[in-house]
């Protein structure tokens, strides 16, 4: 019997640098403090899953370089209880990393080296050893080889998802938010081989060509069920879940949907937003794995995201499922379940 959740895709080491201000080209600024942490889908979603459910088997699936950064990733994963047996080491390659410069104004600037994320491929997944109930992979549009074309399936990732489904593994995907028009040319190939799709409103809207927000940035709540239906039309097997700062929405394969507003957090509560979407995803995956109802899934996912917001780190604010649901009881809004 398959158990646990495998989380595959992007792995980064984030090198964090605190600076006074971001300088103009050719100018200088001083670095006041430095640190590092793991990032990317495997790190943030995987560790959040273990924090929500310490007894759950969570298995990383990706590749890293045989370098100091790769060793740091493995040490961090082992410390947090992730199974690393499905993470491949690539010779003569650099583990993906991001230089993150944070100024006193709160602005963050990112310089990304894709490293081994660009070569993560079907060959790096040993399906015979995977033995997971769910395989979740992210982020589409940030996995160069997985996003590349495949004559039969459209993309390499679509082939990977098809193979997982053939072996009885439920499949799930996440997408990275980016500017540009690649959503509609790359993402649909994977949707038809996905059981679960857990993405934010920008990614969802750009995939189907419908804006979820007004020109002033306010959310168009009534657009979300329409976007969900358009996504389901691509062939998603079980459900699509969309999250954004204001709400979450769940639609099943019978086109029934549930919307739940996000928690009403007090002033000063939010310390950082890094990893909040991944924490929501982790809560949703745990709910799907555990057979929760759509309302229960959204409640846990919203609460996990809210917990994440209470710390600057991508996973530090995520507690156990029980702790996150206590957070929900404290900050839930009146009339949290909504319809249009």
């Amino acid at each position: 019997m398959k158990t646990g959740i495998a989380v595959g895709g992007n792995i980064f080491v984030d090198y964090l640098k605190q600076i006074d201000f971001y300088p103009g080209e050719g100018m200088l600024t001083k670095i006041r403090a430095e640190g590092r942490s793991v990032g990317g889908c495997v790190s943030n979603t995987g560790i959040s899953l273990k924090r929500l459910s310490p007894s759950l088997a969570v298995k990383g699936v990706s590749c890293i370089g045989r370098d100091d950064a790769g060793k740091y990733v493995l040490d961090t994963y082992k410390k947090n209880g992730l199974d690393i047996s499905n993470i491949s080491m690539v010779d003569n390659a650099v583990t993906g990393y991001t230089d993150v410069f944070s100024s006193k104004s709160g602005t963050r600037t990112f310089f990304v080296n894709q490293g081994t994320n660009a070569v993560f491929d079907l060959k790096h997944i040993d399906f015979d050893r995977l033995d997971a109930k769910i395989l979740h992979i992210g982020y589409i549009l940030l996995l160069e080889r997985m996003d590349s074309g495949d004559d039969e399936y459209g993309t390499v990732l679509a082939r990977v998802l098809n193979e997982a489904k053939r072996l009885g593994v439920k499949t799930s995907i996440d997408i990275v938010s980016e500017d540009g028009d690649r959503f509609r040319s790359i993402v649909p190939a994977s949707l038809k081989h996905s059981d679960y799709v857990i993405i934010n409103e920008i990614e969802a809207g750009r995939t189907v060509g419908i804006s979820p927000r007004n020109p002033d940035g306010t959310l168009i709540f009534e657009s979300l069920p329409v976007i969900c239906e358009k996504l389901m039309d691509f062939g998603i097997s079980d459900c699509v879940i969309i999250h954004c700062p204001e709400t979450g929405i769940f639609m099943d394969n019978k086109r029934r949907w549930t919307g739940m507003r996000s928690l009403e957090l007090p002033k000063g509560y939010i310390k950082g937003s890094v990893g909040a979407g991944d924490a929501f995803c982790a809560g949703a995956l745990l709910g799907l794995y555990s057979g929760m109802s759509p309302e229960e899934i959204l409640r846990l996912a919203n609460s996990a995201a809210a917990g994440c917001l209470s710390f600057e780190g991508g996973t530090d604010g995520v507690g156990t499922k029980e702790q996150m649901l206590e957070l929900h009881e404290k900050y839930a809004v009146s009339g949290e379940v909504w319809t249009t």
Side-chain angles (χ1 to χ4, degrees):
M1 180 179 176
K2 298 182 184 300
T3 60
I5 299 175
V7 183
N10 291 110
I11 294 177
F12 289 100
V13 174
D14 294 336
Y15 296 99
L16 313 171
K17 297 175 176 64
Q18 296 286 338
I19 58 178
D20 292 331
F21 61 91
Y22 192 80
E25 188 171 346
M27 303 304 289
L28 177 147
T29 191
K30 292 181 180 179
I31 297 172
R32 298 298 186 182
E34 296 184 72
R36 68 175 176 176
S37 64
V38 293
C41 179
V42 179
S43 305
N44 293 341
T45 305
I47 293 173
S48 289
L49 272 166
K50 284 297 292 186
R51 292 178 71 88
L52 286 167
S53 180
S55 63
L56 177 69
V58 179
K59 308 163 188 186
V61 181
S62 192
C63 62
I64 55 176
R66 201 179 296 275
D67 54 11
D68 179 68
K71 181 179 183 301
Y72 172 68
V73 168
L74 295 183
D75 289 345
T76 303
Y77 286 4
K78 286 188 285 188
K79 179 182 177 180
N80 284 277
L82 270 65
D83 183 332
I84 62 172
S85 60
N86 286 283
I87 296 179
S88 303
M89 304 285 285
V90 180
D91 292 321
N92 303 314
V94 176
T95 300
Y97 68 88
T98 303
D99 285 330
V100 184
F101 293 86
S102 300
S103 67
K104 288 182 178 179
S105 68
T107 300
R108 294 182 300 147
T109 306
F110 305 87
F111 295 85
V112 178
N113 185 327
Q114 282 274 67
T116 46
N117 293 293
V119 299
F120 177 49
D121 199 357
L122 176 65
K123 68 183 180 182
H124 295 115
I125 304 176
D126 186 345
F127 287 98
D128 291 333
R129 296 173 57 196
L130 193 57
D131 188 33
K133 186 176 177 181
I134 299 173
L135 171 62
H136 175 75
I137 295 185
Y139 311 105
I140 296 177
L141 305 184
L142 198 57
L143 293 165
E144 190 172 317
R145 177 58 187 151
M146 288 291 189
D147 291 334
S148 65
D150 180 279
D151 290 341
E152 185 175 358
Y153 293 95
T155 65
V156 174
L157 178 56
R159 179 180 287 275
V160 168
L161 298 171
N162 178 75
E163 178 64 12
K165 285 173 69 73
R166 188 183 69 80
L167 296 173
V169 178
K170 289 284 191 178
T171 56
S172 174
I173 60 168
D174 195 359
I175 310 172
V176 74
S177 296
E178 70 166 27
D179 290 323
D181 57 2
R182 296 198 303 155
F183 287 87
R184 301 184 77 175
S185 62
I186 294 176
V187 175
S190 293
L191 297 180
K192 67 181 68 174
H193 301 288
S194 299
D195 293 297
Y196 315 129
V197 174
I198 309 168
I199 56 181
N200 71 30
E201 84 284 12
I202 303 302
E203 298 150 0
R206 289 184 177 174
T207 300
V208 301
I210 299 174
S211 177
R213 294 189 177 275
N214 292 306
D216 64 358
T218 56
L219 182 67
I220 308 170
F221 278 87
E222 58 267 27
S223 73
L224 297 183
V226 178
I227 292 172
C228 286
E229 287 210 37
K230 294 292 186 182
L231 288 168
M232 294 300 298
D233 287 342
F234 283 108
I236 299 167
S237 299
D238 286 24
C239 68
V240 59
I241 304 173
I242 296 176
H243 60 89
C244 53
E246 298 89 345
T247 192
I249 183 172
F250 180 112
M251 179 174 283
D252 66 19
N253 55 15
K254 292 183 173 59
R255 312 300 174 99
R256 298 173 300 201
W257 65 272
T258 302
M260 182 173 291
R261 297 181 189 275
S262 300
L263 305 188
E264 192 171 87
L265 303 173
K267 184 177 180 180
Y269 176 93
I270 297 175
K271 301 296 189 298
S273 59
V274 175
D278 294 311
F280 181 101
C281 188
L285 285 169
L286 181 58
L288 290 163
Y289 181 87
S290 305
M292 293 180 180
S293 69
E295 187 171 321
E296 290 171 325
I297 289 169
L298 291 175
R299 184 173 293 118
L300 178 57
N302 277 342
S303 300
C308 182
L309 293 170
S310 66
F311 279 76
E312 290 186 3
T315 59
D316 294 339
V318 181
T320 64
K321 177 182 71 173
E322 292 75 20
Q323 289 171 330
M324 295 298 93
L325 291 178
E326 287 178 6
L327 193 66
H328 176 270
E329 291 300 314
K330 187 174 182 180
Y331 296 122
V333 299
S334 176
E336 61 178 355
V337 178
W338 59 272
T339 60
T340 57

